[in-house]
Structures are given as C-alpha cells and as structure tokens.
Amino acid sequence: IKGDFLTQFAGMTLQDKLRMLVGLPREGKGDIQGMTDGTVTSKAVTEAVAEARAIIYELSKKRLIKIDAEMRI
C-alpha cells in the first residue's frame, strides 16, 4: 500500500466519518481517495480502519483504553 494512500487517515478522530471515493475528488476530511488500480485494496483498508475505529471507540466508552480529548487515534 502506498504511503500517500495511508496518509489520508492521519489526523482523523473517531468521530470523523469515512467515505471511500473512486474517481471523485475529496471534499472533506473523511473522504478517502482510492488507489489507482487498487479499488478492492483501498476499500478493504478503509473498511478495516473503520472497524478498528469502532472497536477503539467502544473500548474507550467502557474505559478499557484511554484516548485524548480530541479522540485522536
């Protein structure tokens, strides 16, 4: 996976919505532009990040892990 793709996730909080884009320009912070010729991989990584974020959020609600005030990953 190319570094440019992964940097799109940097700085997001648990509250940011993720949206996978294919052939469309990014409009917001949670928009993830797919890799060229890598739509399946891009989608799988985006879904995995979204699932991990949901788990982190649930663990933080149960106070099993601590995250900062801005809810940064």
Side-chain angles (χ1 to χ4, degrees), residues 1-2 5-9 18 20 32-35 38-53:
I1 299 175
K2 297 178 182 177
F5 173 75
L6 295 177
T7 60
Q8 296 179 91
F9 295 96
L18 293 180
M20 178 68 191
I32 304 299
Q33 184 65 46
M35 294 180 288
T39 303
V40 173
T41 301
S42 300
K43 185 176 179 183
V45 170
T46 302
E47 289 173 358
V49 169
E51 187 174 330
R53 288 164 30 121

Side-chain angles (χ1 to χ4, degrees):
I1 299 175
K2 297 178 182 177
D4 291 344
F5 173 75
L6 295 177
T7 60
Q8 296 179 91
F9 295 96
M12 289 188 182
T13 70
L14 295 175
Q15 296 165 329
D16 294 326
K17 303 278 186 203
L18 293 180
R19 184 172 71 142
M20 178 68 191
L21 304 173
V22 178
L24 299 171
R26 292 180 69 193
E27 297 175 359
K29 185 176 182 180
D31 291 348
I32 304 299
Q33 184 65 46
M35 294 180 288
T36 305
D37 296 326
T39 303
V40 173
T41 301
S42 300
K43 185 176 179 183
V45 170
T46 302
E47 289 173 358
V49 169
E51 187 174 330
R53 288 164 30 121
I55 291 168
I56 291 167
Y57 180 72
E58 288 301 316
L59 290 173
S60 71
K61 281 186 4 183
K62 295 176 182 178
R63 299 180 192 260
L64 297 173
I65 63 171
K66 186 175 181 179
I67 53 179
D68 69 18
E70 294 181 357
M71 299 185 81
R72 298 216 181 267
I73 298 173

